[in-house]
Amino acid sequence: MTTQTIDVPSGVAPGVAQNNLFFAWFAGSLASCGAVTFTNPVEVVKTRLQLQGELAKATPGVERAYHNVAQAFWAIGKNEGLWGLQKGLGPGYMYQIMLNGTRLGFYEPVKNALYTGATGSTSRGQAPIMALNVAAGGLCGVAGAALGSPFFLVKTRMQSASKFAAVGHQHNYTSSIDGLRRIWQAGGIRGLYRGMDAAMMRAGAGSAVQLATYDHFKSYISRTLAHRGLTDNSVYTHFLASMGTGFFVCLAMNPFDVVSTRMYNQKTVNGQGALYRNPFQCFYKTVASEGVLSLYKGFLAHYLRLGPHTILMFVFVEQIKALGAQYF
């Protein structure tokens, strides 16, 4: 089997890029922005499926605008065009820079700090310790979500807007700048960070699973299949590790994703959410009105977005880091 690799020359110490925080942040930001360019249309579909029927009991015979991922994708494209499928891409880029630049850029330093505290040495050369990897991923994800929350807020509200089949409250922002300006005028800093607690729960759960399981899958594949060319630097190793990771992330994160989407998109009245005061009330009201399975609304769309996004992001970031090690 022939594999594509980018290797650091034997006997050469890792370059500046390998140990440079700015480069790690840059690699995470660039890789995630590249990935979201391809996966944003599915994010639009997911957002609308999660908001459809919000707090409404299922009523037989009531027609819904979106029936499944394929039909929703077709309906949005047909009625709103290509740009309708790319709604929220601008704030999506900014969110990716804040979230993934932070969590991918700082994951290794945070992980090494935890390993040093627990074992007396960094993670290099050690067998992965899942609990420490999960903790490092969760901490970085929460920090990134907090920084990127205003952009996720605007992105969600722009993606839900539709003149042909509206779901959830319609904010009707004309651009990212318009959205940020109107939120600031209505609620100041507090308004910009509305729903941040739900986003931190979402990103914490997702990052803990994503970064830790990716580490585990990559290590396992490179240990057991190195004789077939699937080394640590092989693009096929990164691809397979990402495929496995995407499923487990989606499984853990979807309930938090539904709650986060609804917390962000709700209308505000006198500085308070019109439907939910906090994420826990959103969990309760969603399950009470729509059943437990409502927490997995948009699951297929979520995986179809998260799977390719995870694959593209990790393949991109691994190749960017390998190029950095080779040339800087």
Side-chain angles (χ1 to χ4, degrees), residues 6 160 173 193 262:
I6 299 177
S160 70
Y173 300 145
Y193 281 91
R262 295 184 172 192

Side-chain angles (χ1 to χ4, degrees), residues 214 218 221-222 229-232 234-242:
Y214 179 77
K218 191 175 89 166
I221 292 167
S222 62
L230 295 179
T231 64
D232 193 59
S234 168
V235 70
Y236 295 107
T237 301
H238 306 157
F239 179 82
L240 291 173
S242 298

Side-chain angles (χ1 to χ4, degrees), residues 68-274:
N68 52 56
V69 176
Q71 181 271 337
F73 194 93
W74 170 257
I76 295 168
K78 180 182 177 182
N79 290 279
E80 300 177 45
L82 179 61
W83 186 241
L85 289 168
Q86 285 289 19
K87 280 186 174 179
L89 184 60
Y93 282 143
M94 293 304 300
Y95 178 69
Q96 291 299 322
I97 290 170
M98 295 296 178
L99 174 68
N100 287 313
T102 299
R103 71 193 188 110
L104 295 179
F106 287 87
Y107 176 63
E108 286 296 329
V110 171
K111 184 176 74 170
N112 283 329
L114 292 177
Y115 270 74
T116 300
T119 68
S121 62
T122 67
S123 61
R124 187 179 295 275
Q126 292 197 53
I129 302 174
M130 182 62 77
L132 297 182
N133 292 352
V134 167
L139 287 170
C140 293
V142 166
L147 289 172
S149 186
F151 301 107
F152 197 99
L153 173 65
V154 174
K155 177 184 76 70
T156 300
R157 292 179 175 185
M158 290 181 72
Q159 290 176 337
S160 70
S162 173
K163 292 181 180 178
F164 113 88
V167 291
H169 183 71
Q170 299 291 285
H171 297 271
N172 298 316
Y173 300 145
T174 58
S175 66
S176 304
I177 299 299
D178 177 58
L180 291 169
R181 178 182 58 80
R182 287 168 57 182
I183 294 168
W184 173 265
Q185 289 176 344
I189 289 290
R190 185 177 179 185
L192 286 172
Y193 281 91
R194 183 175 308 284
M196 181 180 72
D197 46 359
M200 290 170 69
M201 292 167 63
R202 170 187 178 275
S207 296
V209 175
Q210 186 180 57
L211 296 175
T213 54
Y214 179 77
D215 249 10
H216 182 78
F217 276 125
K218 191 175 89 166
S219 175
Y220 176 79
I221 292 167
S222 62
R223 282 199 321 268
T224 58
L225 297 175
H227 64 287
R228 293 186 174 271
L230 295 179
T231 64
D232 193 59
N233 285 330
S234 168
V235 70
Y236 295 107
T237 301
H238 306 157
F239 179 82
L240 291 173
S242 298
M243 283 181 63
T245 297
F247 175 77
F248 287 102
V249 172
C250 197
L251 202 62
M253 197 164 117
N254 206 82
F256 299 99
D257 196 55
V258 170
V259 168
S260 180
T261 297
R262 295 184 172 192
M263 287 289 293
Y264 273 132
N265 194 66
Q266 69 175 327
K267 181 181 179 181
T268 56
V269 179
N270 298 323
Q272 298 293 325

